[in-house]
Amino acid sequence: MLRPFYDWTLRVAGDKRADWWLALVAFVESSVFPIPPDVMLVPMILADRRRAWRVAAIATAASVAGGVAGYAIGSLFFEALGQPILDLYGYADKFASFAGRYNEWGAWIVFGAGVTPFPYKVITIASGVTRLDLVVFMVASVLARGIRFFAVAALLWWFGPPIRRFLDRYLGPVTVVFFVLLIGGFVALKYLA
């Protein structure tokens, strides 16, 4: 089902309007679209590594703006729009299980979803539904999405094409391990201090 979307994103990465397509994909991925902007980010940067920082900035800004749209879906339209989107992607049960504790760990949850392969759209909508403080949401989103996209851009800028194989294979697990260790460290400090 997702293959046509995936193929489309790869095709438009080489288009002369690729920056606009990247912004659109990054925006809608943060609220409803299933394909992450990394699918366009990688070929765009590999095509011209001098544009790495510009491409990462576009992805970051558009993704955060899309996150605000996801927040609005959760906050304003959860029953009409948010619940059907969660149901469509099969995340309704997962959403219900963490909603009660969400605001206590909200900044970390947003940050974690922003840097890992976890579907960010689920978190943006959940943040709106649970009324997570908008400033906390924005700061966590900018930091997380910026780290994610600028890290990919830096690796591609520095190492070039060989890094694409590494990213395709290991980026998800490496970012998940990093986030688990980071959160584990903060939890340990909280209970040891």
Side-chain angles (χ1 to χ4, degrees), residues 103-121:
N103 282 335
E104 180 182 348
W105 293 94
W108 290 109
I109 293 169
V110 172
F111 184 82
V115 296
T116 65
F118 186 85
Y120 185 58
K121 67 193 73 33

Side-chain angles (χ1 to χ4, degrees), residues 23 26-27 29-30 37 58-68 120 124 141 145 149:
F27 181 88
E29 182 271 338
S30 294
I58 291 167
T60 301
S63 182
V64 171
V68 172
Y120 185 58
T124 64
S141 292
R145 296 314 255 186
F149 298 132

Side-chain angles (χ1 to χ4, degrees), residues 7-38:
D7 292 340
W8 175 82
T9 55
L10 286 177
R11 198 170 46 253
V12 299
D15 189 276
K16 65 182 178 181
R17 296 173 306 249
D19 287 354
W20 291 104
W21 286 115
L22 173 62
L24 178 65
V25 168
F27 181 88
V28 297
E29 182 271 338
S30 294
S31 53
V32 296
F33 194 58
I35 305 296
D38 308 64

Side-chain angles (χ1 to χ4, degrees), residues 1 34 36 43 55 62 75 98 107 117 139 143 145 149 151 164 171 175 183 188:
M1 176 176 124
V55 170
S75 181
F98 73 78
V139 169
L143 290 174
R145 296 314 255 186
F149 298 132
R164 181 177 182 174
L171 183 62
T175 55
I183 293 300

Side-chain angles (χ1 to χ4, degrees), residues 57-127:
I58 291 167
T60 301
S63 182
V64 171
V68 172
Y71 187 100
I73 288 170
S75 181
L76 304 173
F77 307 109
F78 180 70
E79 293 299 320
L81 296 175
Q83 189 67 50
I85 290 169
L86 291 173
D87 291 341
L88 174 69
Y89 292 113
Y91 296 126
D93 293 337
K94 290 179 184 177
F95 170 76
S97 72
F98 73 78
R101 298 180 308 248
Y102 190 87
N103 282 335
E104 180 182 348
W105 293 94
W108 290 109
I109 293 169
V110 172
F111 184 82
V115 296
T116 65
F118 186 85
Y120 185 58
K121 67 193 73 33
V122 173
I123 298 306
T124 64
I125 293 168
S127 295

Side-chain angles (χ1 to χ4, degrees), residues 106-164:
W108 290 109
I109 293 169
V110 172
F111 184 82
V115 296
T116 65
F118 186 85
Y120 185 58
K121 67 193 73 33
V122 173
I123 298 306
T124 64
I125 293 168
S127 295
V129 169
T130 62
R131 306 274 193 232
L132 179 65
D133 182 90
L134 188 57
V135 173
V136 169
F137 173 79
M138 292 294 295
V139 169
S141 292
V142 168
L143 290 174
R145 296 314 255 186
I147 288 170
R148 176 176 173 167
F149 298 132
F150 278 91
V152 170
L155 289 170
L156 291 169
W157 179 81
W158 184 261
F159 293 106
I163 197 67
R164 181 177 182 174

